[in-house]
């Protein structure tokens, strides 16, 4: 009888545990999947949901059409690796320690993938991380070393390095879909980071698009020939002007042979990715780009600076936008798969870029400044049955907010040292709880490539206040409503005296809130000197 009673009790325990396991499995299955899609240097101006003057991006636009498009999304530090560190940690650069592309990422930082993995999510990352560190918190990853190559790229994996033949944007999608089809656990929710190299410099389109895009002509930006009047020292001394600083060889794909024939001095080489092409790929490339060289040789003797500026801008747009066309195609592949496998209804899809980018505005390429084109990012989010399709949101949000957003929608408590705000209230129609007055920005990488001076600042919906420091001490204020192109610094305009006073008050409070200070500024200056 005693053995019978023990057997009954043991059987009851097994049934109870089984019920609990089933209930836990059901709870996990009900949690939303998360797909975070990020490209590198993808300007919002090059997404047709924002502006259709340059390119059509129907697949990226689908995310907005079926979800929400943010018009006031920005970064905290407009440069590649620091932006990624902010996204992973939910902390500003001065706290996570990754202030620039040169400093190492502190792997003791707790990241949101680690927390989701611990909470039962299956996690994977494919594409460009750019840290130099293997990612923590992932069940599987295949990432490009550093910047990676457009053609026949090398990937870092848990099982060693491997080279995969083909075009990088297609390959990253192939790897992603292979994982989805073969190794995704259908009993678990998943968090997938699908990270494109494109459209990072130097821009090498795929065979599918370089023939098409090199024949296109694009409208000139209104500020292409900006002379930086009414701006400060930083704008005038930055080294990212298309005419003066974009190279004919590395960027515009002329050959050194062409430049020698024209007696033009250019110390750059062709992009290294071209050297990774096989003979067939290179022959196809040369069949399109050699005629460009020949045409340039004919035109150059009669070109003045304005004509050369326009030519370089067109070449820039042809290659830059050609790489984006492949990104859009491949996002369509992934979204189609989700629809076919009936995964879309329980999956949040986020599309963004690690920062904005200049597409000839103010005569520039690259990023780094707190000025609009590099500060503002595309942000499109689809969450079926939660977001009203076709919604536009103008609240001030940042990449700082992503970590807490993902954790909240997954039902995971965020660490108290994360500094962002979950976007969930905005996504689910509870906008009245959103109370952010201003967003904070801080750029550190100076002296360095492109010579953009150190600066920090805040932006509200109406104004932007920037303080350039270190080797200068200059303030700039822009009226975002009256001067959206940021052509006139009104900091010393007496009509804005009260605005300056109020914005400086908000800046001071914001610096305290985010634990940034002059002491921290000097700390990172001293580290940079070592």
């Amino acid at each position: 009888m005693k053995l019978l009673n023990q057997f009954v009790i043991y059987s009851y325990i097994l049934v109870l545990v089984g019920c609990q396991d089933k209930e836990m499995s059901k709870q996990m299955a009900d949690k939303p999947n998360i797909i975070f899609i990020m490209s590198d240097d993808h300007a919002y101006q090059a997404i047709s949901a924002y502006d259709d003057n340059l390119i059509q991006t129907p697949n990226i636009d689908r995310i907005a059409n079926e979800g929400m498009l943010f018009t006031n999304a920005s970064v905290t530090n407009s440069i590649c690796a620091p932006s990624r560190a902010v996204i992973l940690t939910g902390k500003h650069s001065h706290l996570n320690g990754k202030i620039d592309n040169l400093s190492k990422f502190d792997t003791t930082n707790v990241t949101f993938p680690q927390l989701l993995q611990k909470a039962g999510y299956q996690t994977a990352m494919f594409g460009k991380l750019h840290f130099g560190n293997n990612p923590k918190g992932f069940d599987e990853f295949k990432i490009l070393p550093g910047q990676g190559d457009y053609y026949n790229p090398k990937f870092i994996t848990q099982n060693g390095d491997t080279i995969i033949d083909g075009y990088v944007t297609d390959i990253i999608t192939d790897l992603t879909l292979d994982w989805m089809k073969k190794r995704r656990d259908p009993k678990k929710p998943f968090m997938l980071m699908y990270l494109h190299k494109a459209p990072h410099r130097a821009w090498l389109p795929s065979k599918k698009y370089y023939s098409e895009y090199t024949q296109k002509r694009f409208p000139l930006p209104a500020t292409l020939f900006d002379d930086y009047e009414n701006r400060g020292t930083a704008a005038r001394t930055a080294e990212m002007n298309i005419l003066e600083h974009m190279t004919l060889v590395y960027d515009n794909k002329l050959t050194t042979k062409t430049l020698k024939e024209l007696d033009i001095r250019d110390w750059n080489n062709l992009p290294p990715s071209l050297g990774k092409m096989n003979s067939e790929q290179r022959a196809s490339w040369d069949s399109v780009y050699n005629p460009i060289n020949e045409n340039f040789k004919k035109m150059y003797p009669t070109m003045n600076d304005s004509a050369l500026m326009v030519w370089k801008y067109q070449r820039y747009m042809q290659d830059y936008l050609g790489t984006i066309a492949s990104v859009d195609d491949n996002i369509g592949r992934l979204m189609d798969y989700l629809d076919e496998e009936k995964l879309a209804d329980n999956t949040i899809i986020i599309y963004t870029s690690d920062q904005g980018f200049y597409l000839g505005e103010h005569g520039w390429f690259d990023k780094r400044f707190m000025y609009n084109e590099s500060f503002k990012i595309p942000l499109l989010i689809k969450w079926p049955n939660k977001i009203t399709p076709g919604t536009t949101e103008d609240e001030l949000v940042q990449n700082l907010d992503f970590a807490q957003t993902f954790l909240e929608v997954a039902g995971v408590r965020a660490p108290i040292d994360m500094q962002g705000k979950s976007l969930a209230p905005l996504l689910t129609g509870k906008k009245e709880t959103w109370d952010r007055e201003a967003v904070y920005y801080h750029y550190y990488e100076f002296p360095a490539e492109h010579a953009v001076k150190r600066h920090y600042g805040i932006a509200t919906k109406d104004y932007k206040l920037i303080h350039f420091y270190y080797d200068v001490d200059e303030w700039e204020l822009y009226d975002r409503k009256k001067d959206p192109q940021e052509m006139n610094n009104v900091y010393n305009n007496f009509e804005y005296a009260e605005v300056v006073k109020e914005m400086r008050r908000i800046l001071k409070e914001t610096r305290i809130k985010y634990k940034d200070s002059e002491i921290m500024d000097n700390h990172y200056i001293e580290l940079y000197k070592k």
Side-chain angles (χ1 to χ4, degrees):
M1 180 62 96
K2 184 176 180 181
L3 287 173
L4 180 62
N5 287 340
Q6 288 177 336
F7 176 77
V8 170
I9 293 171
Y10 179 67
S11 298
Y12 176 75
I13 291 172
L14 287 177
V15 170
L16 182 62
V17 170
C19 290
Q20 289 176 335
D21 286 345
K22 287 181 181 179
E23 181 61 26
M24 289 179 66
S25 297
K26 184 178 183 303
Q27 289 176 0
M28 289 303 296
D30 290 340
K31 290 183 181 294
N33 305 310
I34 300 168
I35 298 180
F36 180 70
I37 311 172
M38 185 166 70
S39 297
D40 195 314
D41 293 342
H42 192 172
Y44 69 90
Q45 314 94 288
I47 294 176
S48 48
Y50 286 94
D51 188 336
D52 61 3
N53 283 326
L54 293 174
I55 190 172
Q56 294 296 320
T57 52
N59 294 299
I60 297 174
D61 291 358
R62 278 171 61 187
I63 302 172
N65 295 337
E66 298 172 15
M68 181 175 288
L69 180 143
F70 287 80
T71 59
N72 250 329
S74 63
V75 291
T76 64
N77 185 355
S78 184
I79 189 167
C80 298
S83 175
R84 293 157 194 267
V86 169
I87 289 168
L88 288 170
T89 64
K91 295 188 286 189
H92 276 279
S93 300
H94 61 275
L95 292 190
N96 69 48
K98 186 66 178 169
I99 60 165
D100 53 39
N101 279 339
L102 305 177
S103 57
K104 290 185 178 179
F105 178 64
D106 182 356
T107 56
T108 63
N109 280 298
V110 174
T111 66
F112 79 84
Q114 290 174 273
L115 298 173
L116 290 179
Q117 185 186 50
K118 185 177 180 181
Y121 268 71
Q122 187 180 15
T123 57
M125 175 189 283
F126 302 101
K128 181 177 179 180
L129 177 60
H130 194 207
F131 275 174
N133 306 95
N134 286 356
K136 294 171 66 175
F138 291 92
D139 300 314
E140 182 175 332
F141 63 83
K142 288 185 176 66
I143 59 172
L144 298 165
Q147 297 290 359
D149 290 301
Y150 275 102
Y151 282 85
N152 307 328
K154 179 188 288 187
F155 284 86
I156 300 168
T157 79
Q158 284 120 316
N159 300 315
D161 295 353
T162 183
I163 294 175
I164 303 176
D165 291 340
Y167 186 67
V168 68
T169 307
D170 300 332
I171 293 168
I172 291 169
T173 309
D174 292 343
L175 295 173
T176 299
L177 290 175
D178 184 69
W179 178 82
M180 292 282 290
K181 294 173 183 178
K182 297 178 181 177
R183 293 179 299 287
R184 180 182 65 86
D185 185 347
K187 296 178 182 178
K188 288 184 176 183
F190 65 85
M191 192 286 294
L192 168 67
M193 297 190 79
Y194 168 51
L195 310 174
H196 284 293
K197 168 184 171 58
H200 194 277
R201 184 188 186 196
W203 312 281
L204 272 65
S206 68
K207 179 179 179 179
K208 179 179 179 180
Y209 285 113
Y210 54 65
S211 295
E212 175 186 348
Y213 273 76
T214 52
Q215 301 304 310
K216 290 178 178 283
R217 295 296 178 268
F218 301 94
L220 303 182
T223 59
L224 181 64
F225 294 99
D226 192 350
D227 62 4
Y228 315 116
E229 186 180 358
N230 300 323
R231 261 64 52 79
T233 304
R236 292 193 298 271
T237 59
E239 296 175 357
M240 52 192 208
N241 182 272
I242 290 174
L243 176 64
E244 297 177 7
H245 305 113
M246 180 173 279
T247 68
L248 288 166
V249 177
Y250 183 79
D251 295 309
N252 297 141
K253 318 303 188 305
L254 296 182
T255 65
T256 54
K257 179 176 179 291
T258 294
L259 268 59
K260 286 178 181 178
E261 290 180 19
L262 295 172
D263 196 26
I264 300 172
R265 300 188 71 179
D266 188 318
W267 300 111
N268 284 275
N269 295 314
L270 284 166
S273 285
L274 281 175
K276 303 296 175 66
M277 289 180 173
N278 61 37
S279 58
E280 182 180 350
Q281 291 165 338
R282 187 58 188 267
S284 176
W285 177 274
D286 288 344
S287 71
V288 171
Y289 285 84
N290 283 349
I292 291 173
N293 277 258
E294 294 304 314
N295 287 334
F296 182 80
K297 284 192 286 187
K298 294 174 184 177
M299 293 186 297
Y300 181 73
T302 62
M303 279 182 168
N304 58 21
D305 282 352
S306 294
L308 183 58
M309 174 71 134
V310 171
W311 185 89
K312 294 177 81 170
Y313 167 76
Q314 294 294 348
R315 283 292 306 114
Y316 169 31
M317 287 298 93
Q318 289 164 359
D319 289 348
Y320 177 90
L321 296 171
T323 68
I324 289 172
S326 290
V327 171
D328 189 69
D329 282 351
N330 279 281
I331 287 172
R333 290 175 61 199
L334 177 59
M335 293 180 67
D336 288 346
Y337 175 80
L338 295 173
D339 289 340
E340 291 164 5
E341 296 299 314
K342 295 181 172 44
L343 288 168
D345 284 349
N346 194 36
T347 300
I348 302 172
I349 300 177
I350 300 93
Y351 184 81
T352 191
S353 173
D354 54 354
Q355 59 261 323
F357 213 68
Y358 292 100
L359 305 185
E361 299 88 2
H362 307 291
W364 287 334
F365 66 104
D366 208 70
K367 56 252 184 183
R368 301 164 195 265
F369 274 116
M370 194 186 174
Y371 302 140
N372 192 51
E373 288 80 10
S374 53
F375 175 61
K376 179 177 174 177
I377 52 171
L379 179 59
L380 307 87
I381 303 179
K382 175 188 172 186
W383 191 3
N385 304 314
K386 296 289 185 178
I387 295 175
T388 302
T391 305
T392 298
E393 180 54 72
D394 72 343
E395 289 297 332
L396 297 164
V397 303
Q398 286 193 294
N399 58 349
L400 183 72
D401 303 322
F402 294 162
Q404 278 147 287
T405 302
F406 301 147
L407 292 173
E408 179 168 339
V409 301
V412 179
R413 181 173 295 179
I416 59 172
D417 61 347
M418 283 188 174
Q419 296 182 301
K421 291 168 66 72
S422 169
L423 303 179
L426 298 178
L427 302 177
T428 56
K430 298 175 183 177
K431 185 172 178 175
E432 66 277 3
T433 64
W434 190 264
D435 60 356
R436 178 176 282 159
E437 180 182 26
V439 288
Y440 182 62
Y441 181 90
H442 199 152
Y443 175 79
Y444 299 84
E445 194 169 296
F446 178 85
E449 184 180 9
H450 296 298
V452 173
K453 295 186 181 298
R454 292 172 184 250
H455 59 289
Y456 58 82
I458 54 165
T460 67
K461 288 184 179 180
D462 294 326
Y463 301 102
K464 185 182 292 181
L465 179 68
I466 308 173
H467 181 211
F468 292 94
Y469 69 99
Y470 178 51
D471 63 332
V472 294
D473 181 10
E474 296 181 2
W475 291 82
E476 297 182 5
L477 176 73
Y478 294 95
D479 188 323
R480 302 186 75 189
K481 296 293 177 64
K482 293 182 179 179
D483 180 24
Q485 293 179 329
E486 298 173 328
M487 299 292 285
N488 294 293
N489 171 21
V490 294
Y491 184 83
N492 294 314
N493 186 328
F494 72 92
E495 294 180 3
Y496 286 85
E498 288 302 313
V499 174
V500 168
K501 182 179 179 181
E502 177 64 6
M503 289 292 285
R504 289 196 64 154
R505 179 192 67 78
I506 297 172
L507 175 61
K508 181 179 179 180
E509 292 178 356
T510 303
R511 294 255 284 173
I512 293 170
K513 172 185 175 181
Y514 289 126
K515 300 179 181 179
D516 203 3
S517 64
E518 188 174 349
I519 292 174
M520 294 295 288
D521 301 344
N522 292 331
H523 167 70
Y524 283 115
I525 288 170
E526 291 305 313
L527 282 182
Y528 199 81
K529 289 178 179 178
K530 292 180 179 179

